[in-house]
Amino acid sequence: MKDLLLVANWKAHKTEDEARLWLEEFNRKIFEAKLDLTNKQILICPPYTLLQLLNAYVVANALEFKIGAQDVSRFVAGAYTGEIPAEIIKKMASYTIIGHSERRQNFGDTDEVLETKVVNADASGLNIVFCVQGDSTPIPETVKIVAYEPISAIGTGNPESPENAEKVAKSIKEKNKNVEKVLYGGSVTADNIKKFTDIPDISGVLVGGASLEASNFFSLIERC
Ligand code: PGA
């Protein structure tokens, strides 16, 4: 069985209370189902405000889940009001997403800016999940994990065909020799996850909408 990285991207959702309930329900379901997570690495990416809470919960309950941020600042610690630099994130998380299309579209994350974010995340020792929208999106050289997320599939209920996802994943690896894992993201659900995780060149999924309810994310993990 190959190793899978299964990422929940909560985007701009959840209060502390909601996050706590999600964690309790998700953890309980895994426990009750005696779900074997040997080859499944779960990575939860909440808003920055919840990183501390999730980290503390995972440590207190000796869970194997990883915690990640959804972005990092392009600046290092300093006079940058409102920014969250990688070295602060590193205290609460071991991963960060970089280059999500929502950041590229709405927050001026150009290829150059993303390059700087990758440098900062690397310098702090954060693992990176770098999102691309196709096989021609530039990928910084140090990146090892890429999430292929076609814009037409994000939040639309209209996922990429597994055949196409396979082609693009292969091509990303061919063009970027340092990339070790390609994930697929875009309208992944419990009903379609296996079609993607069964593809040899796909090493996991990045899930938005279907990760917001603990029961949905659990079903998805159960079915891959
Ligand atoms: P979705 O989002 O699963 O809601 O399509 C995926 C993503 O944007 O990471």
Side-chain angles (χ1 to χ4, degrees):
M1 247 192 300
K2 70 177 172 185
D3 288 338
L4 292 173
L5 180 60
L6 306 161
V7 189
N9 174 13
W10 287 356
K11 306 192 180 182
H13 292 281
K14 293 199 192 295
T15 62
E16 276 199 24
D17 288 347
E18 289 165 348
R20 215 175 273 114
L21 287 173
W22 189 102
L23 287 166
E24 281 162 9
E25 185 181 349
F26 184 64
N27 199 22
R28 188 180 61 246
K29 280 181 175 295
I30 288 180
F31 182 75
E32 284 171 1
K34 297 191 176 59
L35 199 62
D36 180 9
L37 295 177
T38 319
N39 71 322
K40 295 174 184 171
Q41 180 61 69
I42 292 166
L43 167 60
I44 308 168
C45 300
Y48 292 128
T49 46
L50 297 172
L51 286 173
Q52 184 68 50
L53 179 140
L54 265 68
N55 187 44
Y57 186 92
V58 163
V59 171
N61 292 281
L63 302 174
E64 302 285 340
F65 311 157
K66 302 283 186 206
I67 307 301
Q70 298 170 9
D71 189 30
V72 288
S73 177
R74 67 183 150 125
F75 301 105
V76 294
Y80 301 105
T81 303
E83 288 294 289
I84 318 272
E87 58 261 57
I88 291 179
I89 293 169
K90 184 63 173 85
K91 303 283 176 208
M92 304 173 257
S94 53
Y95 277 78
T96 185
I97 297 171
I98 293 180
H100 193 283
S101 60
E102 288 155 13
R103 306 267 348 148
R104 293 176 191 259
Q105 281 172 341
N106 304 321
F107 301 97
D109 277 13
T110 59
D111 294 335
E112 293 70 34
V113 167
L114 295 174
E115 185 83 49
T116 315
K117 291 186 172 191
V118 166
V119 169
N120 291 347
D122 279 339
S124 296
L126 285 167
N127 297 295
I128 297 167
V129 176
F130 191 83
C131 299
V132 302
Q133 289 67 55
D135 58 358
S136 50
T137 307
I139 298 175
E141 227 175 275
T142 56
V143 167
K144 296 191 173 62
I145 307 173
V146 164
Y148 166 50
E149 299 207 304
I151 291 178
S152 61
I154 296 181
T156 58
N158 181 26
E160 173 72 297
S161 72
E163 296 72 28
N164 241 10
E166 179 173 23
K167 263 188 226 150
V168 177
K170 265 205 181 102
S171 165
I172 288 170
K173 281 188 179 168
E174 272 161 26
K175 291 183 180 174
N176 301 275
K177 294 296 178 204
N178 292 332
V179 171
E180 293 167 5
K181 288 177 195 254
V182 178
L183 317 181
Y184 168 74
S187 297
V188 175
T189 63
D191 289 335
N192 64 27
I193 184 167
K194 206 164 154 43
K195 290 188 193 144
F196 295 104
T197 53
D198 276 353
I199 298 170
D201 276 305
I202 291 191
S203 303
V205 289
L206 204 167
V207 187
S211 74
L212 291 177
E213 295 289 332
S215 55
N216 284 347
F217 195 58
F218 169 77
S219 308
L220 201 137
I221 304 286
E222 204 184 18
R223 297 222 210 143
C224 63

